Amino acid sequence: MKKNQLLFLAIIFFVNQLHAQDAKMNAFITNLMSKMTLEEKIGQLNLVTPGGAVTGSVVSKDVDDKIRKGFVGGLFGITTGPDKIRQAQDIAVKNSRLHIPLIFGLDVIHGHKTVFPIPLGLSCSWDTTLIERSARIAATEASADGIDWAYSPMVDIARDPRWGRIAEGAGEDPYLGSLVARAMVKGYQGNDLTKNDAVMACVKHFALYGAAEAGRDYNPSDMSRLRMYQFYLAPYKAAIDAGVGSVMSSFNEIDGIPATGNKWLLTDLLRKQWGFKGLVVSDYTSVSEMIAHGMGNLQEVSALSLRAGLDMDMVAEGFLNTLKKSLQEGKVTQQQIDAACRRILEAKYKLGLFDDPYRRMSTDRAAKEILSEEHRRAAREIAAHCFVLLKNNNQTLPLKKSGTIALVGPLANSQRNMLGTWSVSGDFSKDVTVIDGIKNVAGSSVNVIYAKGANLSDDTSFIKRVNVFGPEIEVDSRSPQEMINEAVDAANKSDVVVAVVGEAADMTGEASSMSNIGIPESQENLLQALVKTGKPVVVVLFNGRPMTLTWENDHATAILDTWFGGTEAGNAIADVLFGNYNPSGKITATFPRNVGQIPIYYSHKNTGRPYDGTGFPKFKSNYLDVSNDPLYPFGYGLSYTTFSYSDITLNKKHIIPGETLRVKVTVTNTGNYDGEETVQLYTRDMVASVTQPVKELKKFQKIFLKKGESKEVTFSIGLDNLKFYNSDLKYVYEAGDFKVFVGTNSQDVKEADFVLDK
Ligand code: NOJ
């Protein structure tokens, strides 16, 4: 038999197997549903939290009793390990009439107990293998703790750093965002959801949550369909194509209808156009929040959500308390209730919960695997790959493992601020601080003089708002001037200053939007005093968003952006500071010069009066008071070494549909260190029936080059890379002129032209 025939038979066999599995599942669920009362079916649609890691008020009362009656489909937010989960599962499986197991969800966002960098940081590695590994480790740990369902990946494209939740996603670009989405789904789910160490992923927040007006959380997102398709929808679709088991609807409204009750979104787009077959859950009370949106009372908004295509109601208990009445009044149909119930039971079936409802609770596995040495090693390695070197004058970094370092700043010795936002299971007492990391890596060969230098903020009402989850901002009893004096004294006695400054962990994340995204004043004062000493000042930045760093960029000697690096952040930071790892991260969200430039992103449109980057010509699309350019463009990040790029060579100047354009550059490591470089390819469609961005990322490769080494990097561009959504929202290509750009970031590129012929 020929190879092709064998492959064909293998595919047929595989497809048949899938059909047989589906048929078995369908028969099982049909049989189960035939025994269920209406109340029990509606009960499956109810997702409650007993409290714990919550992001709003806890509505549910008498949870145990409800489980016993079959009025609960799942629980979420339990961070205390498998015992409480086992107790709840016991009630469902042993004491409810039909013994239907519960599903247990949790916000596993960037790790479970071994915490990795915040997702925005992870994306800066541009390394989907590492990102997938972080999700795999998170799934292994969370499942040992009894979790079946992770509320991740968050794939909302965000182009407004005022929005606190920009920390939770992969930045501004739909192509990179799609690759990250796919990697995370694969990492969480593996290739067999029934495995004890696999968890069902949940792509969120569907949809457009990252485009909240004014960067204020929960605000409406209003944009044209064209913009949605062009820039915002791809990562959700990528997660769905990767087989994600569930989708979470978002808080925001779209076209005047909140996502949770938006039929166009949840049914027409998600299910009909994209073919999604899994379960759709609301966000936290987003069903009942539609009352405040002005969509009606609890009964009306619950019926609206079910009709729109929502299956499971998180916390609001609108489904539980009103759907029966709505059915009697003809506001919803039995079929709609059945369809939602079936999808929840299917998820449980696929997770293997009907075979063994306790399969993901393993005290033994938890003891062995959670925060294991192997996981911590991975966290350290992954974190180092996420840091971005924003500036490095006079090759100040890497630091020598000798001499005296003044280690200053409110984040240099702050265990509470290492993990970053949304690490509900993380235990900060396990975190490695920067001071400890430096001691671990440099040992006694370096003399470290530590001084806090400043509080994270001195603004008492702001501190109160940030500290809702605990004292992230600890206020020293000394006066700001006393603290600065101590730091300046330390600087004067040292060869170099390392200033660890930036944001507290919860200055980003949910409900943590900011109108001023610079370094808080108390720390700016410290930095200014340090710079005045004339010593080289290396800023190590903790941040959950792109910040405005214009002053720092002008005055600091070096800046290393470390986001919030997770459990092993301190070790990873020291690895990079002392050159054990040469930084290779590149930013995935543009850093503005000031807040007034927002929204600012690399793949903008040209306008009819484009600004060419020189001077301030009148009647051009520019500002009187600031340049159009960002402080740091998308894709930017330095290395301890330098890379040079040859001109682009193309295998042909014209291609026709079906042909491949090969784009070649030679990259040379021209500096003094071995290092990694992310080579980025962008295209521009010069003439099209709808206007196109000035650049769009289409491919990238992360390569390793020894000092002095050159490598030829080849990219293949085909028709799929040149398509766009036209005015009818059809994904099409149009023949004509294109530009291709290759370079080290979205601004610093070589370019060449080619033509797509008919
Ligand atoms: C609200 C958040 O928007 C969402 O991301 C999270 O998964 C849920 N709360 C559950 O905690």
Side-chain angles (χ1 to χ4, degrees):
M1 217 181 295
K2 292 220 176 80
K3 224 171 155 189
N4 279 351
Q5 282 172 315
L6 269 175
L7 188 68
F8 182 69
L9 285 178
I11 291 173
I12 299 274
F13 176 75
F14 185 65
V15 171
N16 280 340
Q17 281 253 325
L18 283 183
H19 281 156
Q21 274 170 20
D22 274 358
K24 204 169 148 207
M25 174 176 79
N26 291 341
F28 175 87
I29 292 173
T30 304
N31 179 41
L32 177 58
M33 284 180 65
S34 72
K35 298 180 198 147
M36 291 172 81
T37 62
L38 174 65
E39 286 80 359
E40 283 165 337
K41 286 178 181 171
I42 293 173
Q44 285 301 306
L45 321 189
N46 191 29
L47 175 63
V48 305
T49 178
V54 295
T55 54
S57 54
V58 179
V59 177
S60 275
K61 296 209 174 65
D62 308 323
V63 172
D64 289 359
D65 191 45
K66 281 184 181 143
I67 299 174
R68 207 168 290 119
K69 290 183 175 136
F71 293 170
V72 176
L75 286 186
F76 78 100
I78 303 173
T79 51
T80 46
D83 290 347
K84 191 146 185 225
I85 292 184
R86 183 176 290 277
Q87 275 168 27
Q89 193 68 302
D90 269 345
I91 305 175
V93 170
K94 296 183 184 152
N95 302 336
S96 74
R97 192 178 74 89
L98 290 171
H99 318 292
I100 299 174
L102 297 167
I103 183 173
F104 295 95
L106 189 66
D107 285 285
V108 179
I109 308 295
H110 47 116
H112 181 59
K113 288 192 170 145
T114 303
V115 178
F116 299 96
I118 53 165
L120 183 61
L122 280 172
S123 69
C124 294
S125 69
W126 296 59
D127 187 332
T128 51
T129 309
L130 283 189
I131 293 171
E132 181 176 335
R133 197 158 131 224
S134 74
R136 182 87 293 277
I137 290 173
T140 310
E141 293 193 354
S143 58
D145 260 354
I147 302 304
D148 307 300
W149 189 16
Y151 298 147
S152 173
M154 187 288 221
V155 305
D156 305 322
I157 293 295
R159 296 172 164 192
D160 190 333
R162 291 172 298 180
W163 190 52
R165 302 197 79 172
I166 194 171
E168 291 178 52
E172 73 184 44
D173 185 68
Y175 172 69
L176 182 61
S178 299
L179 296 185
V180 172
R182 186 164 73 198
M184 294 197 74
V185 170
K186 277 169 66 189
Y188 288 126
Q189 298 194 164
N191 38 28
D192 179 0
L193 255 193
T194 61
K195 286 214 172 127
N196 298 357
D197 67 356
V199 296
M200 182 169 76
C202 182
V203 65
K204 69 189 191 186
H205 306 84
F206 195 58
L208 319 181
Y209 184 35
E213 262 175 27
R216 186 152 54 74
D217 216 352
Y218 318 121
N219 230 7
S221 298
D222 202 355
M223 65 175 79
S224 67
R225 289 276 153 97
L226 194 61
R227 178 167 276 242
M228 286 182 205
Y229 276 82
Q230 194 165 24
F231 295 124
Y232 284 84
L233 293 179
Y236 307 107
K237 172 79 162 47
I240 282 148
D241 292 345
V244 72
S246 64
V247 170
M248 187 184 292
S249 69
S250 55
F251 287 121
N252 55 285
E253 64 170 70
I254 296 169
D255 291 341
I257 303 176
T260 301
N262 194 315
K263 180 162 178 295
W264 170 77
L265 187 73
L266 300 187
T267 298
D268 299 350
L269 179 66
L270 182 64
R271 297 205 187 277
K272 291 192 184 148
Q273 274 188 47
W274 291 356
F276 178 64
K277 300 228 158 28
L279 137 74
V280 182
V281 63
S282 78
D283 203 343
Y284 202 103
T285 56
S286 67
V287 170
S288 53
E289 285 174 26
M290 280 193 281
I291 303 170
H293 277 282
M295 304 299 290
N297 62 26
L298 187 64
Q299 184 190 353
E300 283 158 349
V301 296
S302 302
L304 180 73
S305 308
L306 187 78
R307 291 196 305 266
L310 186 80
D311 301 315
M312 206 169 198
D313 169 5
M314 185 192 284
V315 179
E317 301 216 327
F319 279 5
L320 186 74
N321 294 321
T322 69
L323 281 189
K324 187 173 175 189
K325 186 158 178 260
S326 289
L327 180 66
Q328 285 157 356
E329 293 171 3
K331 293 186 171 129
V332 299
T333 64
Q334 183 67 50
Q335 216 180 3
Q336 285 159 345
I337 294 173
D338 283 354
C341 177
R342 178 175 286 275
R343 286 195 279 254
I344 291 155
L345 296 174
E346 278 175 6
K348 293 181 179 182
Y349 185 97
K350 288 180 189 156
L351 283 160
L353 289 172
F354 287 105
D355 285 339
D356 177 4
Y358 302 94
R359 63 193 315 141
R360 288 185 187 77
M361 300 164 209
S362 168
T363 325
D364 278 359
R365 205 155 67 70
K368 231 188 303 147
E369 291 173 12
I370 288 180
L371 282 163
S372 68
E373 233 174 85
E374 188 197 330
H375 289 182
R376 292 193 75 128
R377 242 195 331 270
R380 179 171 178 167
E381 182 195 339
I382 291 171
H385 283 72
C386 298
F387 302 158
V388 185
L389 185 63
L390 296 174
K391 181 177 179 186
N392 192 19
N393 265 16
N394 315 324
Q395 297 197 308
T396 305
L397 293 177
L399 300 173
K400 290 185 207 63
K401 287 186 186 158
S402 62
T404 301
I405 296 176
L407 179 64
V408 300
L411 290 159
N413 187 20
S414 174
Q415 261 195 324
R416 254 187 202 271
N417 284 297
M418 307 309 287
L419 301 180
T421 184
W422 239 181
S423 38
V424 294
S425 305
D427 171 359
F428 69 80
S429 73
K430 301 283 194 301
D431 303 347
V432 182
T433 60
V434 180
I435 194 165
D436 286 339
I438 287 182
K439 283 182 191 152
N440 294 340
V441 170
S444 55
S445 53
V446 171
N447 180 28
V448 176
I449 311 177
Y450 166 72
K452 183 171 174 185
N455 296 314
L456 274 159
S457 165
D458 285 332
D459 175 340
T460 41
S461 69
F462 178 72
I463 293 171
K464 228 162 132 195
R465 290 176 178 197
V466 174
N467 281 354
V468 281
F469 299 127
E472 281 176 10
I473 305 186
E474 270 177 311
V475 180
D476 207 277
S477 57
R478 290 170 296 171
S479 74
Q481 197 53 51
E482 278 176 279
M483 290 165 80
I484 288 181
N485 291 347
E486 185 193 28
V488 166
D489 204 37
N492 285 330
K493 292 185 188 132
S494 305
D495 304 303
V496 60
V497 180
V498 173
V500 193
V501 296
E503 300 187 298
D506 282 293
M507 279 166 67
T508 47
E510 188 172 348
S512 293
S513 294
M514 298 267 283
S515 69
N516 176 353
I517 56 169
I519 293 186
E521 199 185 344
S522 55
Q523 301 180 67
E524 284 279 4
N525 294 341
L526 168 67
L527 288 178
Q528 283 169 15
L530 292 170
V531 165
K532 269 200 203 131
T533 65
K535 298 285 169 144
V537 176
V538 175
V539 170
V540 171
L541 187 70
F542 280 34
N543 53 330
R545 55 161 59 83
M547 299 183 81
T548 47
L549 301 172
T550 313
W551 186 89
E552 289 73 13
N553 186 58
D554 288 344
H555 294 94
T557 320
I559 306 175
L560 180 70
D561 189 338
T562 64
W563 310 107
F564 289 94
T567 311
E568 285 286 330
N571 282 331
I573 289 170
D575 285 339
V576 171
L577 287 177
F578 290 102
N580 290 358
Y581 179 73
N582 181 356
S584 64
K586 305 259 192 181
I587 55 173
T588 56
T590 302
F591 278 50
R593 289 175 190 276
N594 63 29
V595 173
Q597 286 185 317
I598 297 170
I600 181 167
Y601 48 93
Y602 83 93
S603 63
H604 60 85
K605 302 279 183 90
N606 206 32
T607 82
R609 296 185 178 199
Y611 170 61
D612 70 2
T614 45
F616 284 86
K618 195 72 184 162
F619 306 119
K620 295 281 184 187
S621 178
N622 54 15
Y623 299 100
L624 285 173
D625 60 342
V626 68
S627 114
N628 282 15
D629 285 341
L631 184 63
Y632 305 121
F634 175 84
Y636 171 84
L638 305 172
S639 161
Y640 294 155
T641 194
T642 46
F643 299 101
S644 77
Y645 281 67
S646 72
D647 285 336
I648 295 173
T649 53
L650 302 178
N651 63 333
K652 44 179 88 176
K653 278 288 208 182
H654 287 253
I655 56 166
I656 54 167
E659 283 185 345
T660 301
L661 179 76
R662 277 189 229 297
V663 183
K664 227 188 267 176
V665 289
T666 301
V667 184
T668 305
N669 181 341
T670 48
N672 292 323
Y673 298 87
D674 301 345
E676 287 157 281
E677 166 73 337
T678 299
V679 184
Q680 302 160 38
L681 181 145
Y682 301 83
T683 61
R684 177 171 178 188
D685 190 341
M686 299 305 292
V687 181
S689 57
V690 295
T691 59
Q692 296 298 305
V694 296
K695 271 186 199 121
E696 285 179 291
L697 181 72
K698 292 296 168 72
K699 296 255 161 124
F700 61 88
Q701 284 180 40
K702 193 162 184 175
I703 57 169
F704 173 78
L705 289 176
K706 286 195 139 332
K707 168 176 153 185
E709 193 187 359
S710 292
K711 254 185 203 158
E712 206 174 71
V713 179
T714 306
F715 296 100
S716 298
I717 295 291
L719 208 54
D720 272 350
N721 307 113
L722 304 175
K723 286 184 174 171
F724 63 89
Y725 287 96
N726 69 10
S727 312
D728 300 324
L729 302 179
K730 298 242 157 55
Y731 197 49
V732 300
Y733 69 90
E734 288 175 4
D737 292 345
F738 285 81
K739 277 193 189 299
V740 59
F741 311 89
V742 180
T744 184
N745 62 57
S746 61
Q747 240 171 36
D748 193 0
V749 289
K750 302 279 182 178
E751 72 176 74
D753 301 311
F754 69 95
V755 182
L756 173 63
D757 290 323
K758 283 196 181 125

